[in-house]
Amino acid sequence: MKIPSLAEPARETPVIQECDVCVLGGSCTGVFAAVRAARLGLSVALVERMGSFGGVATLSLVNVWHSPYDEVFEKRIFSGLSVELMDRLKKRRAVTERERSPHWAWSFNAFEMQIELDELILENKITPWLHTAFASPHVEDGELKAVLVENKSGRGAIRARFFIDATGDGDLCQRLGLETYRGAHRQPSTTCALFGGWDSLDGLDWGKLLREHAGEYHIPHGFAWGALVPNSQLYMLAGTRVFQDCSDATGFTKAEMEGRRQVRAIQDILRKYSPEANVTLQGLPARIGIRETRHVRCLHQLTGMEVLNGQAFPDAIANGSYRVDIHHTDKPGITFRYLDGREVYCQPGLPELKSRWREETPTHPTFYQIPYRSLVPQGPYGNLLAAGRFIDADEQAHGAIRVMVNMNQTGEAAGTAAYLALKNQTAARNVDPQLLRRTLADGGSLML
Ligand SMILES: Cc1cc2nc3c(=O)[nH]c(=O)nc-3n(C[C@H](O)[C@H](O)[C@H](O)COP(=O)(O)OP(=O)(O)OC[C@H]3O[C@@H](n4cnc5c(N)ncnc54)[C@H](O)[C@@H]3O)c2cc1C
């Protein structure tokens, strides 16, 4: 069906900033890209459509980050700004640490993180643009010269020499007409919620309760987990499961409302089937948590097999050990695949089903890598990089690399590569990977 359209009148748009690098999207991925570029002496604009920085970690209340060690907790695999931020938050008593857990290494107070990110941005003299949404690219003579943004002041242009798309959905890449794709089994979105009185459920298998009564309240069978907010009685629960496409305006709207409906349904199940418990809703996210929408086609697609086999890349810019974690769309529960060959299928309230995706081997890799080429979009724009969850990765690879400590490293790499591309007057695809790795290491990253 042809969608009706109208012609907008041509207009002059004020240039609201001119800078070296413009980062779109202000999760930790985008903030860390901006900080690395700024620390290398570049002028940086950071554009975020919501009212605070941090993305899923803050806006969507997902308050856990994974281990800086390999899968067997012996070798340190990353450092850099993720660790720096956790150290800063520890001084605010806003972090709980856990050793040798595949589930999480740090849980943090998402509200303290919002304020800490504000401070980090100001200290590094980055120009922040909050409540400012990227609207469209501005291309002159085939070159990406500016982005048009919309905010309270109206429409404005930010001119930059280099652009980093960290919007999660690859909005800039998509609107430039670059090739994007979606996995056949896109991971669902989840509305997290903060609950009080969670300790009144002590001794109760609430996962089983939710599984048994989900149908009655029209909650798709899935997986529920949570974490206490450090130094508080608040419990962050990730228990809803929403399948709408959040890169589409209608789908995104429906997803927000459906996620909130499911949060209430969870509370109603607990009240009905455990009337002695006293769980109360204390907080909702500013935005539903989105695990996956589109991906952009880059110079290299990272595959699940490369991840699971711990493929070493000469242009590696990030190291991770979070297991492949597939939130199924076609059946309840999730499947974990580990680098040592184990596979575990989990559903709330049911025993784990253990098997192997690979036979036992005398040795096995203990971490995986993300190559720089998976951040470099194919196409004509040499002053553009992708960072965050929409980089080029197949379904299985995405299931592992998508966690924030990994995405943060892609941001740091993009900010550093932008500096090198500008310094050497070269396209992103021609940045020397060895120089990139050295410059990342000089800035505090661990390069293996
Ligand atoms: C429920 C849930 C649980 C998860 N659990 C964990 C976990 O336990 N640990 C973990 O590490 N990871 C977890 N993840 C995965 C992880 O949170 C995401 O993969 C990661 O946050 C992706 O980072 P990103 O920077 O690419 O995207 P996002 O965090 O989504 O950030 C994108 C940012 O860009 C902004 N933006 C988008 N479009 C525009 C635009 N047009 N203009 C301006 N700004 C824009 C957004 O507002 C947002 O701030 C979970 C995800 C979900 C949803």
Side-chain angles (χ1 to χ4, degrees), residues 134 179 233 257 352 439:
F134 158 72
E179 185 184 345
Q233 301 303 315
M257 296 171 81
E352 293 179 342
T439 315

Coordinates of all heavy atoms in Angstrom, one line a residue, residues 134 179 233 257 352 439:
F134 N 18.3 12.9 16.7 CA 18.8 12.9 15.3 C 17.6 12.7 14.4 O 16.7 11.8 14.7 CB 19.8 11.8 15.2 CG 19.9 11.4 13.7 CD1 20.6 12.2 12.8 CD2 19.4 10.2 13.3 CE1 20.7 11.9 11.5 CE2 19.5 9.8 11.9 CZ 20.2 10.7 11.0
E179 N 23.1 -0.4 3.8 CA 22.4 -1.7 3.9 C 22.3 -2.1 5.3 O 23.3 -2.2 6.1 CB 23.2 -2.8 3.1 CG 22.5 -4.1 3.1 CD 23.3 -5.2 2.4 OE1 24.3 -5.0 1.7 OE2 22.9 -6.4 2.7
Q233 N 16.6 -1.4 49.3 CA 15.6 -2.5 49.3 C 14.9 -2.7 48.0 O 14.0 -3.5 47.9 CB 14.6 -2.3 50.4 CG 15.1 -2.1 51.8 CD 16.0 -3.3 52.2 OE1 15.7 -4.4 52.1 NE2 17.2 -3.0 52.8
M257 N 3.7 0.3 25.9 CA 2.4 0.1 26.6 C 2.2 -1.3 27.0 O 1.8 -1.6 28.1 CB 1.2 0.7 25.8 CG 1.4 2.2 25.7 SD 0.2 2.9 24.5 CE -1.2 3.1 25.5
E352 N 17.4 -26.8 34.9 CA 18.2 -26.4 33.6 C 18.4 -27.7 32.8 O 18.6 -28.8 33.4 CB 19.6 -25.9 34.0 CG 19.5 -24.6 34.7 CD 20.9 -24.1 35.1 OE1 21.8 -24.9 35.2 OE2 21.0 -22.9 35.4
T439 N 46.8 3.1 20.2 CA 46.2 4.3 20.7 C 45.2 4.0 21.8 O 45.1 4.7 22.8 CB 45.6 5.2 19.6 OG1 46.6 5.2 18.5 CG2 45.3 6.6 20.0

